[in-house]
Amino acid sequence: MSSRQEESAAQDPNPSPPLAVRVTNLAFSYGAEIVLAFDKFELKSQQACSIIGPSGCGKSTFVHLVAGLLAPEKGSVEVFGEDLGSLSESQRDRFRGEHIGFVFQRFHLLPALTVMDNLALAQKLSRTQRDRSRIETLLKQLDVWELRHRKPSDLSHGQAQRVAVARSLVHAPSLVIADEPTSALDDTNAHQTLGLLQQTTQEAGAALLVVTHDHRVREHLATGFELGAAK
Amino acid sequence: MTWFQLAWANLRASPIASAVNILLMTLGTASIVILILASERFTDTLTRDARGIDLVLGAKGSPTQLILSAVYHADLPTGNISYDHARAWANDDRVELAAPLSLGDSYRGFRIVGTNDVFLGLYDVTVREGRSWKRPMEAVLGAAVAEESGLKPRDRFSGAHGMSDLGHVHAEQPYTVVGVLPPTNTVVDRLILTSLESVWDLHGHQDHDSETMHTAGNPEHEEHEEHEEHEEHEEHEEHNAHTNGDAHGQEITAMLLRYRTPLAAMSLPREINALGNLQAAAPPMEIARLLSLVGLGLDGLRAFAWVLIGAACLSVFAALYGSLRHRRRDLAMLRCLGATKIEVFFAMLSEGLLLSMAGIALGFSLAHSTMILISAWLESQRGVSLADLYWAEAETQLLLVLLAVSLISAAIPAMQAYRTDVARTLAETNL
């Protein structure tokens, strides 16, 4: 999906599409140093957005705040209308498990588990009902169903990536966060990965937030936001 | 996918390390359990065999040897004593029952014991098959003797001098089996009982006394014996007439006594030992002495087994703690997927507990299986049955201690997992 298409989708005349993420006057610091200050950020449901910035600009901190892994010191983070700052740490854990899926550069599949079990664990931790048919559908859709009994160490990079994408969607989340999904890939693979993420999240009806320092992402995702720069 | 399955999958991912941890815990646990069971059963057996026997009279020498030879039939006798001297004490008012023992021969490793019916009363056993011995060279077999030798009433066998078959065989005077005792699970099962006269006859004491032991305060017993004697065949009467002579000069090996009242323990042994010609030894005291000697060895073994368990717990701790470093990413991922801190803590804890508990369960199984094997071997070799699969009270205490130690050794790394800084770990490991 091109950035122009994304923009036109963002301008779709939907009277008031619910917001996937709303960030207001956000600040976070490690010690005395403020590493992140954010006036406003919004991501609508079922839309895709990228946040681009150089290493150390606070991208990961932003992701962790949106995912509820960190609690904001100032301002608010709302995900699907839930103010994460008002939740306890374990409530945020449960909320994250239920509503958010993750894709990391290094996939972070659990090495001791098979592909199937990695997805089953994600379903369990999301507190949703175990749905084997959804696992099967996703793995078939991503063309890795035949690999379901393999361990991550027996997968190629591309296969592992597909499995990681499947895991991020297996509990039917409303938001998928991809942290540096293309950083170590060549142009062709980066293009494929972004296409895959956009396609699968769109089909699953989930919003997509890609956080990266990789400027190639701009070519794919329209609603770009550059951290530290004026919007 | 459950937490148990996740823990199991993680353990299977490093099979050698997991196997070593489990093996260490298994060996440590099994060692301690075997020591507990063995010492309990050893004590049980010692106590059971000596039950009902308050004092043993015998020749001067080691009291332990006297008890071992006369009660447990596991050592050579200390020597012979005068039957008259022993009988004098047996007739004391403070004595309820007294059974003389005359040892010296054996059959296929089973000791032949010359005694009287009082001996059966001491062990509270009556003849199951056939009848008790009445005439010289009649024998009643313990249950294990009958089973292993295949002998049955009316069969004949010849005793050999000493405790091995290599001794002189008294082939010219074979015994006739007249009865078999039921299993008692005591040393009696492995004895061949006969009259004192049989033993005296075989060892050249033709001038013996066939009277059974007079038991002070047991006139019924005497009357009964007399009554039975009158019913015997003429041949036996003649024999008795021949042998019912002067008992002076006869010797026996030992005399087992049971007190009429516990108060006798205060005075009788001291009086007997003070006179000088006999030795009196009390089984409870000798059992205590034996157990304290054995206990020293057991303490050493027990300490070694605890070292093994300590090593096993350290090993579980080290395995989990060491794995934390390269599993920080996995733990962070679990949190990303929605696991709470406490769930991550229990995931790590269950992994450690799974290792320990597998080792503990295997250790208990191994120990009990070993005891069953030892018991089967002992039963075949010595007829002592320990086979019951009972659970000693000390095992419950051990199990609780082991679970507590395992919990602690797994809880420390689990606490580290609990404290994992997810955001920082993800930032560091997603580069």
Side-chain angles (χ1 to χ4, degrees), chain A residues 133-231:
Chain A
S133 65
R134 181 168 176 80
I135 296 177
E136 184 176 342
T137 305
L138 276 169
L139 289 179
K140 281 181 174 168
Q141 186 185 339
L142 289 159
D143 204 21
V144 284
W145 172 245
E146 300 302 320
L147 310 173
R148 63 189 180 280
H149 297 308
R150 288 202 194 166
K151 296 272 182 72
S153 57
D154 299 328
L155 303 176
S156 70
H157 186 274
Q159 290 167 338
Q161 186 180 54
R162 285 167 179 274
V163 172
V165 170
R167 183 181 63 180
S168 73
L169 293 166
V170 74
H171 54 298
S174 307
L175 170 66
V176 172
I177 298 175
D179 192 359
E180 301 284 5
T182 57
S183 299
L185 302 178
D186 59 26
D187 287 351
T188 308
N189 282 310
H191 173 74
Q192 282 179 350
T193 299
L194 287 168
L196 180 70
L197 279 170
Q198 280 182 284
Q199 186 196 341
T200 49
T201 51
Q202 199 170 42
E203 285 172 4
L208 173 64
L209 178 62
V210 176
V211 183
T212 183
H213 70 268
D214 185 354
H215 288 272
R216 293 173 296 183
V217 173
R218 283 184 190 182
E219 298 165 20
H220 296 266
L221 295 178
T223 322
F225 184 89
E226 209 150 329
L227 203 60
K231 191 175 178 184

Side-chain angles (χ1 to χ4, degrees), chain B residues 320-398:
Chain B
L320 292 182
Y321 208 86
S323 75
L324 273 179
R325 192 176 181 79
H326 66 264
R327 284 174 53 192
R328 278 169 58 221
R329 199 178 63 176
D330 299 347
L331 296 171
M333 194 61 221
L334 286 177
R335 295 289 308 283
C336 281
L337 292 173
T340 60
K341 278 181 157 185
I342 200 78
E343 283 175 324
V344 169
F345 173 84
F346 280 115
M348 203 69 180
L349 190 74
S350 59
E351 215 171 294
L353 284 182
L354 200 59
L355 273 180
S356 305
M357 283 162 73
I360 292 169
L362 283 173
F364 272 91
S365 308
L366 179 65
H368 278 266
S369 309
T370 306
M371 285 308 289
I372 289 172
L373 289 176
I374 290 176
S375 180
W377 178 79
L378 269 179
E379 197 164 1
S380 70
Q381 297 294 309
R382 295 217 44 215
V384 181
S385 172
L386 306 172
D388 47 342
L389 246 179
Y390 80 93
W391 179 269
E393 196 181 320
E395 284 182 273
T396 307
Q397 293 160 4
L398 172 70

